[in-house]
Amino acid sequence: MRAAQLMTSNDQEKDVTGATIWLTGLPSAGKTTIAYELAARLKAEGRRVQVLDGDEIREFLSAGLGFSREDRHTNVQRIGYVAELLARNGVLALAPVIAPYADSREAVRKRHQSEGTAYLEVHVATPVDVCSVRDVKGLYAKQAAGEISGLTGVDDPYEAPESPDLRIESHQQTVQESAAALHALLTERGLA
């Protein structure tokens, strides 16, 4: 695992290990909410943290991509590249991204492995019926009304991770408890 060299105020170098924490799950599972809760805690502890919000990346980095399997793969690879670049430079990159296909997530993991950069996969395993009630962006309602199709987990596949580093049942605990479980994993792995 590579550690970035940071200069402190008295010009001593300090090793800081970065990592990518990939939060995958259905729309409205709680990925982004958990990521921002964890980011606030890590920043309070003095860590460099960046949340790579999947919606923001689609708007600014992957504009023009649709939701075909190829476009989704391209989007995930772009986010994975940016996350690895940040992590390699001592940042904890939190990526709350649906990333519905196992092969796309595996390609991101392999990129990190080839660079010697820490990568953790977290499955925010919220059942689709809970997500559809939360419906943060109104996607489930639009799909039910026939206004959209290709909604991940409803009429488009979501390949849940078989053995993630952590599985969070966000519907059975608070956001703070979910973030605390993830923080505990980072601590256990020497990343927090």
Side-chain angles (χ1 to χ4, degrees), residues 43-176:
K43 284 178 184 177
E45 294 172 354
R47 289 304 311 265
R48 293 176 17 177
V49 181
Q50 182 62 54
V51 176
L52 297 173
D53 184 300
D55 293 332
E56 291 176 3
I57 297 291
R58 268 207 174 267
E59 181 179 351
F60 298 107
L61 187 62
S62 295
L65 289 179
F67 291 90
S68 68
R69 186 177 179 105
E70 283 182 13
D71 282 357
R72 290 176 192 237
H73 179 78
T74 299
N75 184 51
V76 167
Q77 297 316 297
R78 287 178 182 175
I79 296 168
Y81 173 78
V82 173
E84 194 283 322
L85 186 64
L86 288 167
R88 184 182 343 150
N89 286 285
V91 175
L92 290 174
L94 307 179
V97 182
I98 295 169
Y101 304 114
D103 61 342
S104 294
R105 295 189 306 267
E106 185 59 25
V108 171
R109 180 186 295 277
K110 285 181 179 176
R111 170 186 294 281
H112 283 71
Q113 287 173 338
S114 72
E115 295 295 330
T117 305
Y119 176 88
L120 300 176
E121 183 177 70
V122 177
H123 180 207
V124 182
T126 310
V128 71
D129 58 322
V130 174
C131 294
S132 66
V133 170
R134 289 179 180 172
D135 205 9
V136 178
K137 299 173 202 154
L139 297 174
Y140 292 92
K142 288 180 182 178
Q143 191 277 335
E147 296 173 24
I148 63 169
S149 62
L151 181 59
T152 302
V154 178
D155 58 355
D156 207 58
Y158 176 73
E159 300 169 356
E162 291 182 16
S163 53
D165 295 283
L166 178 65
R167 194 175 312 276
I168 294 175
E169 309 276 345
S170 75
H171 58 294
Q172 296 180 353
Q173 58 191 29
T174 66
V175 171
Q176 293 76 19

